[in-house]
Structure formats: C-alpha cells, structure tokens
Amino acid sequence: MEKGGIVLNTILVVVNLVVLLLLISGLFLMQKKHVSFSKRVFTALGLGLIFGLAIHQIYGKTSDVTINTIDWFSIVGSGYVKLLQMVVMPLVFISIVGAFTKLKITKNIGKISFLVIGLLLGTTAIAAAIGIGSALGFGLDGIHLNQGVAEAARNAELKETVVTVKDATIPQQILQLFPSNPFQDLTGARPTSTIAVVIFAAFIGIAYLGVRKKNEEQGEFFAKIIDSLYFIIMRVVTLILRLTPYGILAIITKVSATSDYEAIAKLGKFVIASYVALILMFIVHLLLLSLAKLSPVQYVKKGLPTLTFAFTSRTSAGTLPLTTKTLTKDFGVSEGISNFAASFGLSIGQNGCAGIYPAMLAVMVAPSAGINPASPSFILTLILVVALSSFGVAGVGGGATFAALIVLSVLNLPIAIVGLLISVEPLIDMGRTALNVSGAMTAGVLTSKVTGEFEKEVYQNSKVIEA
C-alpha cells in the first residue's frame, strides 16, 4: 500500500511537470509569434498564479506531491534567479567602472553621485514616515502576536545575526561597508558585499581618471577593455532575460502553491497596512516624476515588466539587469547614470525593505518598551535612524530582516517581532522588492533629467524595447 502511494505520488508529480512544460511551450510559441515581452510576462504571471492555486487546492501546500513538484519546478524558477545573480556582481563592477570611462559622466561624477544617493536616502526617509503613519493608522500592535513552531524556529535562526548586529556600533557597521577583500565581495559573501564592490569599482574609476591625465594612451586602452567587457556582460544579460517569462511562471507557481493562506488571514491587518504603505510610497514616486514634468503613466507602462519580475522573484539584485535595461532603453537615461542608480539602489536607500518595513516594526514594538510611538521625538528619531541604517542593506532575500534588526537594535527595541512575521514575510517581501526597484529607477530618471543626460523622446515613446 505504501509502495502504491509512492508510485501514485510520482505519477502525479510527472503530470504536474508535463503541465508546466505545456505552459512553457505556450509561452515559447508566443515568443515565436513576436508577442510583446510585457504580454508574455503577464501571461506567465497569470498562468503561474492559477496553476499554483490549483496545486494548493488539490494536494495541499505540505503534501509530498506539492513538495516534490515544487522541487522540480525550482530548476526553472530558482535556476533563472541564480542565472541573474550570476551576472550581478560582474555587472555592478563593470557598470561603475564604465561610468568613469565615459567622458560625459566623468564631468558630472560628483553631482550625479550626490543626486542618486540623495534621492535614494530622501525617498527612504519618506517611506519610513509613510510606514509609521500606516502602522499608527491601522493601530498595529506587536504585543499580541503569537509565537508558533515556525516563528520559534525563525527566531532561533536569527540569534547569531542578532548578536552580531547588537554588538556592532554604528562606526563598526560603517566599517563593514568597506572592501577589505574585493575578490571575496565579488562572490557576494557578505550582506554588504554589493556596496563594497561599488566602492572598489569607484576607486578603480578614480584611478583611471588619474592615469588618463598622465598617459592618455594607457587610459584609452583601459577604457576599450572595460567597454568590451561591458558589451559582453550585457549580451549575457540579454540571453538570460529572454528566459524571464518561464522563470516568472515557475516562481509564481511556487509562491501560490506553498503560501500559508490561513496565517496570512490571521495577520491580514499587518499585510493590508504594509501594502497600503507600499502603494502610497509608489504614488510618491509617480508624484516626483510628475513634478519633473514626466508622464507617470509612461513610467508604469514601461517599467511594469521589471517591477513584476521584482515582485515575483523577491530579489533586487536579481532584477539589476532588467533595471539597467529599462532605465537605458525604455526611459532614455544615460548608461552612466543608469549604472550608478541601479547599482547604488541595490544596497542604499531601499524604500521597501530598509524604509517602510523597519519603521512599521519599530512602531509596533515601541509600546512594549514604554515608548509612545506617536510622539514627535520618537518619529523623527526613527526616520533618521531608518535613513542612515539603509546603507549596505543586501539586495537579496533577507535584506529587510537585516535592516529591521539594525533599526530595532539601534533604538534598543525588542527584536523578536522580526521572527514572528515569518508566515507573511514572502507575501510582503514581494511588494517591498518591487518598491525597492521602483525607487532606484525613479532616482535614475530624476538624476538624468536634472543633469541633462536624458532622452525625453525615448521616455515618451510608447514602445517597450524587447530584451
């Protein structure tokens, strides 16, 4: 009987795999018929949602059939994300160095860096304020959250990270941003590896400027090497981006098949408050673009495929190639500024993960520490801490947890709440990641507009450039 059950489960897993392959074939036919990239992405999103819900309803989220099916599906979904992550560090490094080798950007390098970082930190401060307002408006309270088995396990996992964060002073945390071993950071070994690679690349770029002044021939030779490497890496990126619809299909199928809908319902108030804050902050991005006399409708239309991928994949780092492509080809931002904004946006001023989320958690646990979360002094302090702590937050899954631990530790607030929200973490993280990417793109577009390195006709063109 047990053997028969194993055979039946295997057959059902094979059936699910066949369905996935049929859906992939359908998406491939759409590509062959030259259906637009955006339509293929949203078709994959819809199909994955329906397929995942069907698996959830028929087999349950913890059954052997579901677990084994998703394990196989991960070859497509997680495999695609890994391919994107494969090119992230090389792309960040080459992009920043390449920004220095382009004559146009080197004239405004200081201004561009200041604007990009300023916009990222400024929007994060606004995001924190919105997060505080949402938490207060919905009356969120962390005292009444219950710790189950999953939550206890999560807090146990976080113990080591908690000790590391609590023991580190702010100067020590700043020191963690610097690259002591750039080759190690190129592997993404540390939470702050991305910003470390950016700093290392900036030193290489500054060194190039000095060499070019003293030995123009050597400078030009180096610039040609960097340009060649950039084109090669971008070609690799293009090849990977063509797999986007298939990756999204598998990823969203996994999410909808394995989500704990009962836990989501129990924490529904927090989920709703989070998404209200995320949506409001996205509207702020659109308002900033409107103030710059740019169409927010065009921004949404042309940026939606990238934001959709960020939403489903939950990785800002994995979305980097799409972010860069959207800024340059669809929004008309210069390559140099695109490289700066997309790269800096991975680890500085993430509006969702480092802005809204830590601020909401701080408001929720403040009463347990005898603090009135509505007091102006607490709110101003929290906004400042959130903005400053947003440096070096990893642009991969877990970045929001790291940011929350830093903020709560600096304010001497209870940190157990971070583990108590594990059941809704994936659902909220989807929206946070999309907002992170939107923040980086908004910073890139506005900086490009201010510095005059912006092709408005490209932005206004309704056509989305295919990957």
Side-chain angles (χ1 to χ4, degrees):
M1 186 75 177
E2 184 179 344
K3 187 176 180 181
I6 293 173
V7 172
L8 178 60
N9 286 349
T10 302
I11 291 172
L12 292 174
V13 170
V14 171
V15 169
N16 290 335
L17 287 172
V18 170
V19 174
L20 178 68
L21 291 173
L22 288 173
L23 294 175
I24 288 174
S25 298
L27 292 171
F28 182 73
L29 287 175
M30 290 177 69
Q31 182 179 342
K32 285 293 183 182
K33 292 182 179 179
H34 304 292
V35 176
S36 71
F37 181 75
S38 301
K39 289 180 180 177
R40 284 185 280 126
V41 166
F42 285 109
T43 299
L45 181 64
L47 291 173
L49 183 62
I50 295 170
F51 189 25
L53 287 172
I55 292 174
H56 188 282
Q57 290 297 318
I58 296 171
Y59 308 110
K61 75 181 183 68
T62 58
S63 69
D64 290 340
V65 174
T66 300
I67 292 171
N68 291 331
T69 295
I70 296 304
D71 198 28
W72 281 99
F73 283 13
S74 293
I75 295 175
V76 179
S78 299
Y80 171 66
V81 173
K82 284 181 178 294
L83 288 175
L84 280 172
Q85 291 173 336
M86 172 185 73
V87 298
V88 167
M89 287 304 184
L91 183 58
V92 168
F93 178 76
I94 294 297
S95 294
I96 296 298
V97 177
F100 283 88
T101 61
K102 293 175 175 61
L103 180 63
K104 191 175 182 181
I105 192 170
T106 56
K107 292 179 179 178
N108 297 316
I109 196 73
K111 183 179 181 180
I112 289 167
S113 301
F114 176 80
L115 283 171
V116 169
I117 295 175
L119 284 166
L120 288 171
L121 292 180
T123 52
T124 298
I126 295 172
I130 290 175
I132 293 168
S134 182
L136 291 173
F138 278 86
L140 298 182
D141 188 350
I143 296 175
H144 301 295
L145 293 177
N146 297 318
Q147 178 170 293
V149 177
E151 288 78 11
R154 176 58 171 166
N155 275 326
E157 288 177 8
L158 290 174
K159 279 185 178 179
E160 186 176 340
T161 306
V162 168
V163 172
T164 303
V165 172
K166 291 192 78 171
D167 289 345
T169 63
I170 292 179
Q172 289 172 338
Q173 291 174 12
I174 293 173
L175 280 174
Q176 288 296 315
L177 304 178
F178 291 91
S180 59
N181 185 344
F183 297 101
Q184 180 189 32
D185 286 319
L186 282 167
T187 67
R190 302 185 300 142
T192 56
S193 283
T194 305
I195 191 65
V197 169
V198 170
I199 292 171
F200 176 62
F203 271 101
I204 297 293
I206 293 170
Y208 156 77
L209 295 179
V211 169
R212 191 182 64 178
K213 286 182 179 178
K214 295 180 179 179
N215 192 324
E216 189 173 345
E217 184 179 346
Q218 290 295 328
E220 288 180 1
F221 178 70
F222 179 79
K224 287 179 180 179
I225 292 175
I226 294 298
D227 286 345
S228 297
L229 287 172
Y230 182 78
F231 282 119
I232 293 295
I233 289 176
M234 287 309 296
R235 181 57 185 169
V236 173
V237 168
T238 299
L239 294 174
I240 296 173
L241 290 184
R242 288 177 181 174
L243 303 174
T244 299
Y246 316 117
I248 284 181
L249 171 64
I251 291 168
I252 200 64
T253 299
K254 175 183 177 180
V255 171
S256 57
T258 59
S259 291
D260 189 344
Y261 294 105
E262 290 183 8
I264 291 172
K266 289 179 182 178
L267 291 170
K269 191 176 181 182
F270 178 73
V271 174
I272 293 171
S274 296
Y275 271 91
V276 166
L278 292 169
I279 291 169
L280 287 174
M281 189 59 211
F282 183 66
I283 292 173
V284 170
H285 293 168
L286 300 182
L287 288 174
L288 290 173
L289 293 167
S290 297
L291 290 174
K293 299 182 180 179
L294 296 172
S295 169
V297 176
Q298 284 291 88
Y299 176 82
V300 173
K301 180 180 178 181
K302 302 178 85 170
L304 206 51
T306 298
L307 296 178
T308 301
F309 175 75
F311 184 85
T312 54
S313 68
R314 296 169 51 205
T315 164
S316 302
T319 312
L320 176 64
L322 272 172
T323 306
T324 306
K325 171 258 175 189
T326 302
L327 282 170
T328 53
K329 295 185 177 180
D330 297 320
F331 290 154
V333 177
S334 69
E335 284 188 4
I337 293 176
S338 296
N339 296 338
F340 265 87
S343 299
F344 279 132
L346 290 184
S347 51
I348 296 176
Q350 294 192 340
N351 291 180
C353 289
I356 288 174
Y357 186 65
M360 291 184 69
L361 296 194
V363 169
M364 291 171 67
V365 299
S368 65
I371 298 173
N372 177 13
S375 67
S377 60
F378 174 76
I379 291 174
L380 291 175
T381 301
L382 178 55
I383 292 173
L384 181 62
V385 169
V386 167
L388 293 178
S389 299
S390 67
F391 274 90
V393 176
V396 294
T401 299
F402 188 68
L405 290 175
I406 292 175
V407 170
L408 295 177
S409 297
V410 170
L411 295 173
N412 291 317
L413 295 173
I415 53 183
I417 190 173
V418 177
L420 298 180
L421 298 169
I422 183 176
S423 56
V424 295
E425 179 72 14
L427 179 62
I428 297 172
D429 197 37
M430 296 167 79
R432 290 193 311 236
T433 307
L435 188 67
N436 293 342
V437 173
S438 179
M441 292 199 298
T442 301
V445 171
L446 293 176
T447 299
S448 187
K449 183 77 161 48
V450 170
T451 57
E453 298 184 33
F454 181 67
E455 297 180 59
K456 193 170 183 178
E457 59 276 10
V458 174
Y459 184 92
Q460 293 175 331
N461 186 352
S462 59
K463 184 179 179 181
V464 176
I465 303 298
E466 296 294 316

